[in-house]
């Protein structure tokens, strides 16, 4: 039980890798170097194409932004680390409480399925959540713990990998929530894929670095090129909706580098509608 708690409830290895971001800037530098490489590779690949049809680069303007913690918007490492520890302690506490309640006589069998229903009802809707709840009643407790914690950890992993972006582009909490909501499907698959590889013994740290580098490429597909800091007013607001979603998802694997509906930095773009407000009610 202790081993299971450490590896799936507390997620100690993943937490230790997350701390690396607050100890050394290696991961942030890796993200920026990878972003520059993506720009250079894109330009080289399309050097014979019409420049008017190519997307603007991401790296030149992104490097002009000052970095700060994407959750607290502070440059203080101590404060950012304190907030991280507080968040992790809160999540670990809730996980341990739910895990402990699952051993309660009579009602314990329903605790993990109920937690699954509550979690997925907000993410995927009532129907799939009911299906997960019904399946959870018959599954062994161990598999439910693995399922729930894998979901939460993969989501946390994605947020941590995107921290170099959000540490530069200032989103409010509400804007950030909408940003993730509109890209939730792709981000979930991205996070789960790397989470599975992160659990490989001894290779986890290496995979984490590869995941960070891959996030730089992902950013160029699900966001628009940022303007200069002086022109950034309203940029975060314009990014809440993934406007080129359908164009990108319709591309085949061989053409993922195609220009799929991005607007150039500085161009006007429609602001998000009240669609998200209705979804959050």
């Amino acid at each position: 039980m202790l081993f299971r708690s450490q590896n799936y409830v507390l997620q100690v290895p993943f937490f230790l890798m997350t701390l690396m971001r607050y100890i050394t800037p290696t991961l942030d530098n890796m993200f920026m170097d990878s972003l520059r490489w993506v720009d250079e590779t894109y330009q080289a690949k399309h050097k014979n194409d019409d420049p008017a049809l190519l997307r603007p680069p991401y790296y030149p303007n992104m490097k002009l932004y000052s970095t700060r913690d994407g959750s607290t918007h502070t440059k203080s490492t101590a404060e950012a680390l304190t907030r991280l520890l507080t968040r992790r302690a809160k999540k670990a506490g809730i996980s341990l409480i739910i895990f402990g309640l699952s051993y309660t006589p009579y009602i314990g069998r329903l605790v993990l399925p109920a937690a699954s229903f509550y979690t997925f009802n907000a993410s995927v809707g009532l129907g799939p959540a009911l299906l997960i709840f019904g399946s959870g009643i018959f599954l062994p407790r161990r598999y439910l713990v693995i399922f729930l914690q894998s979901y939460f950890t993969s989501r946390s992993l994605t947020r941590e990998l995107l921290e170099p972006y959000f540490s530069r582009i200032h989103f409010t909490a509400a804007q950030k929530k909408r940003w993730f909501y509109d890209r939730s499907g792709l981000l979930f698959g991205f996070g789960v894929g790397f989470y599975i590889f992160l659990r490989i013994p001894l290779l986890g740290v290496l995979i984490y670095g590869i995941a960070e580098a891959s996030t730089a490429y992902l950013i160029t597909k699900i966001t628009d090129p940022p303007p200069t800091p002086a022109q950034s007013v309203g940029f975060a607001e314009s990014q809440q909706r993934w406007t080129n979603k359908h164009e990108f998802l319709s591309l085949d694997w061989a053409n993922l580098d195609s220009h799929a509906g991005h607007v150039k930095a500085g161009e006007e773009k429609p602001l998000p509608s009240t669609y998200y407000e209705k979804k959050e009610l």
Side-chain angles (χ1 to χ4, degrees):
M1 178 176 175
L2 179 61
F3 175 79
R4 187 188 306 167
S5 299
Q6 177 182 344
N7 284 275
Y8 289 105
V9 179
L10 297 180
Q11 295 288 349
V12 174
F14 172 70
F15 172 70
L16 293 177
M17 283 188 284
T18 301
L19 282 178
M20 291 173 55
R21 186 179 306 284
Y22 300 87
I23 298 174
T24 172
T26 302
L27 291 173
D28 188 85
N29 294 338
M30 183 178 295
F31 173 87
M32 293 302 294
D33 289 342
S34 299
L35 192 62
R36 178 173 56 186
W37 181 84
V38 170
D39 280 342
E40 293 173 350
T41 302
Y42 178 83
Q43 293 294 331
K45 183 176 180 179
H46 299 279
K47 62 182 179 181
N48 296 323
D49 296 347
D50 183 357
L53 300 178
L54 303 183
R55 66 160 177 82
Y58 283 72
Y59 177 78
N61 286 344
M62 189 80 78
K63 71 176 181 178
L64 300 177
Y65 287 81
S66 60
T67 59
R68 51 194 167 186
D69 178 62
S71 300
T72 63
H73 303 301
T74 177
K75 295 182 180 180
S76 170
T77 301
E79 182 179 349
L81 183 57
T82 300
R83 294 289 184 91
L84 171 69
L85 294 175
T86 301
R87 291 196 305 269
R88 293 300 179 189
K90 181 180 178 181
K91 290 180 179 179
I94 293 174
S95 297
L96 286 173
I97 290 173
I98 294 175
F99 185 64
L101 289 175
S102 69
Y103 285 91
T104 304
Y106 305 112
I107 65 170
R109 187 62 185 170
L110 298 176
V111 170
L112 290 175
S116 301
F117 173 81
Y118 177 81
T119 298
F120 287 93
N121 184 38
S123 302
V124 299
L126 180 61
L130 285 173
L131 179 61
I132 293 172
F133 174 79
S135 302
I137 294 177
F138 302 101
L139 287 175
R141 181 186 293 105
R142 178 173 181 270
Y143 294 112
L144 283 175
V145 170
I146 294 174
F147 174 71
L148 275 176
Q149 290 307 119
S150 297
Y151 170 76
F152 285 121
T153 306
S154 63
R155 191 170 66 172
S156 296
L157 170 63
T158 303
R159 291 176 180 270
E160 289 296 332
L161 292 174
L162 286 166
E163 189 66 14
Y165 177 77
F166 287 109
S167 68
R168 292 172 169 82
I169 309 299
H170 185 182
F171 284 74
T172 65
Q175 289 173 340
K176 193 173 179 181
K177 180 179 180 181
R178 294 166 188 162
W179 190 96
F180 274 98
Y181 181 86
D182 205 43
R183 299 159 174 82
S184 57
L186 179 64
L187 294 178
F188 175 71
F190 182 82
V192 166
F194 278 109
Y195 170 72
I196 293 173
F197 285 108
L198 279 172
R199 296 196 61 82
I200 300 176
L202 304 179
L203 293 179
V205 175
L206 175 62
I207 298 298
Y208 200 101
I210 295 174
E212 190 65 84
S214 300
T215 304
Y217 178 77
L218 179 67
I219 280 293
T220 66
K221 299 305 172 186
I222 61 177
T223 68
D224 295 323
T228 62
Q231 300 174 318
S232 64
V233 176
F235 177 71
E237 176 72 16
S238 73
Q239 294 303 292
Q240 293 174 72
R241 291 197 66 181
W242 183 11
T243 55
N244 66 317
K245 178 191 299 186
H246 299 294
E247 292 86 349
F248 174 70
L249 295 179
S250 65
L251 294 174
D252 55 49
W253 287 99
N255 294 316
L256 285 181
D257 271 332
S258 298
H259 179 70
H262 287 293
V263 295
K264 295 185 177 181
E267 290 183 354
E268 292 188 359
K269 180 179 181 177
L271 296 179
S273 67
T274 57
Y275 170 79
Y276 299 97
E277 314 299 337
K278 296 177 181 178
K279 286 288 185 180
E280 292 175 6
L281 292 178

